[in-house]
Amino acid sequence: SALTNGGLNLHSPVKRKLEADKDYVFDKRLRYSVRQNESNCRFRDIVVRKEEGFTHILLSSQTSDNNALTPEIMKEVRRALCNAATDDSKLLLLSAVGSVFCSGLDYSYLIGRLSSDRRKESTRIAEAIRDFVKAFIQFKKPIVVAINGPALGLGASILPLCDIVWASEKAWFQTPYATIRLTPAGCSSYTFPQILGVALANEMLFCGRKLTAQEACSRGLVSQVFWPTTFSQEVMLRVKEMASCSAVVLEESKCLVRSFLKSVLEDVNEKECLMLKQLWSSSKGLDSLFSYLQDKIYEV
């Protein structure tokens, strides 16, 4: 079913005008040109670009709709994070190709896999989510995220695990876990109440409330919002300024800010993924998920 919100059809192609600097516009038409770099050939669903002072990872899924996440895509992101952790880059920029940042878990993938072997696949997918989230928790360099469009589910939940989040005015955020018969992931059961407050976090996690970019900024999920036509240029300007700083200073500063949270987040991540595994391995939990996805349009 089409993902719709206020007339926005996430499955339909969205025509966007390329802005001045074509190298840094996060547009689907870049998918093939950016893959010409030989370092990108190692990945299928993401693009990794080595820039001066930083590594740029772009979600660019060709095997799922709207940059949805599968275990294979999450593994590619983990591998790119591992490489960036040990190279000479000072920070990481995460963005997306196309008009959607990330639509969360690929639910058609979930249905197909869990239908074939519920117990085995529930463990495999839950562990893939656990390792994916853990890679963000353990990454020592600053992570900057550029949100060009909708960020849903796990795509929104990982944002508090990053250090700076900049959003386009067109972006919006939603984590409708309970609505689609899932429990929270990405440490959102802990980070969302801490950042947004318990009341708003509960509305997002239980009721699927959508936050606009400006609302997310006012509540602390996003640090700045930029106009869509200049979004990529604003992001690159600021990332390059950060990349001119000392690598030691950036890493040690992040350590001071984040170190006390690391063990807490790792524990929360383990508990969330254990809950998902138990939910998917039970016939009751799986039937609830299947019936919802088969009988309703997933409105976000």
Side-chain angles (χ1 to χ4, degrees):
S1 301
L3 305 183
T4 58
N5 183 283
L8 174 64
N9 189 334
L10 302 186
H11 281 301
S12 65
V14 178
K15 293 183 179 180
R16 300 181 61 202
K17 181 181 178 182
L18 286 172
E19 302 304 328
D21 190 347
K22 291 185 179 180
D23 287 336
Y24 296 116
V25 174
F26 312 142
D27 191 279
K28 206 162 191 174
R29 282 168 283 185
L30 276 180
R31 172 174 289 159
Y32 301 104
S33 62
V34 294
R35 289 183 184 278
Q36 297 305 309
N37 187 307
E38 62 181 20
S39 66
N40 297 327
C41 297
R42 295 172 297 173
F43 300 98
R44 181 182 60 177
D45 289 295
I46 64 173
V47 173
V48 180
R49 306 181 65 174
K50 299 298 296 183
E51 307 293 346
E52 187 174 352
F54 66 97
T55 299
H56 189 180
I57 298 176
L58 299 98
L59 301 178
S60 177
S61 178
Q62 299 185 86
T63 58
S64 66
D65 292 324
N66 304 313
N67 293 327
L69 299 171
T70 64
E72 291 73 24
I73 296 172
M74 289 187 280
K75 185 177 181 179
E76 285 200 341
V77 175
R78 283 170 41 216
R79 183 154 59 91
L81 286 172
C82 182
N83 293 342
T86 56
D87 64 18
D88 59 356
S89 63
K90 299 177 182 179
L91 58 97
L92 177 81
L93 171 63
L94 176 64
S95 65
V97 173
S99 59
V100 178
F101 174 72
C102 179
S103 57
L105 292 176
D106 188 327
Y107 298 107
S108 61
Y109 179 97
L110 279 181
I111 290 177
R113 296 290 179 154
L114 294 174
S115 298
S116 61
D117 192 335
R118 185 180 70 209
R119 295 194 179 278
K120 179 181 177 181
E121 290 298 320
S122 62
T123 298
R124 188 179 72 89
I125 298 172
E127 289 179 351
I129 296 171
R130 180 199 64 194
D131 294 342
F132 173 72
V133 173
K134 190 175 181 179
F136 282 88
I137 296 172
Q138 295 185 336
F139 195 75
K140 294 182 179 181
K141 300 175 183 179
I143 302 177
V144 177
V145 190
I147 310 295
N148 59 309
L152 313 174
L154 191 57
S157 294
I158 61 170
L159 299 182
L161 306 179
C162 304
D163 302 292
I164 297 174
V165 181
W166 291 319
S168 163
E169 185 75 35
K170 289 184 177 180
W172 46 272
F173 307 84
Q174 193 173 38
T175 53
Y177 288 115
T179 306
I180 57 174
R181 314 303 193 259
L182 294 179
T183 51
C187 296
S188 56
S189 62
Y190 175 81
T191 58
F192 274 30
Q194 293 291 316
I195 295 172
L196 304 172
V198 174
L200 181 55
N202 286 346
E203 273 199 297
M204 289 194 71
L205 298 173
F206 302 161
C207 307
R209 175 172 170 176
K210 184 185 79 171
L211 290 187
T212 65
Q214 291 293 348
E215 287 174 326
C217 187
S218 68
R219 301 307 292 262
L221 187 64
V222 169
S223 57
Q224 287 194 76
V225 177
F226 300 111
W227 194 246
T229 55
T230 59
F231 177 62
S232 58
Q233 291 90 333
E234 296 281 5
V235 167
M236 296 311 302
L237 176 65
R238 286 159 175 77
V239 169
K240 289 178 180 179
E241 288 177 351
M242 282 186 65
S244 68
C245 298
S246 163
V248 174
V249 168
L250 289 173
E251 189 168 326
E252 291 300 325
S253 297
K254 174 168 180 172
C255 181
L256 288 170
V257 172
R258 291 277 186 176
S259 59
F260 73 98
L261 273 176
K262 184 178 176 182
S263 60
V264 174
L265 293 173
E266 288 178 345
D267 184 52
V268 171
N269 183 35
E270 290 285 346
K271 290 179 180 178
E272 286 181 346
C273 292
L274 178 60
M275 184 65 69
L276 284 174
K277 176 183 173 182
Q278 293 174 346
L279 182 70
W280 290 332
S281 61
S282 71
S283 57
K284 186 176 181 180
L286 206 56
D287 289 344
S288 177
L289 173 65
F290 285 0
S291 64
Y292 178 82
L293 294 178
Q294 290 170 357
D295 296 341
K296 288 193 175 186
I297 293 177
Y298 176 25
E299 294 181 353
V300 292

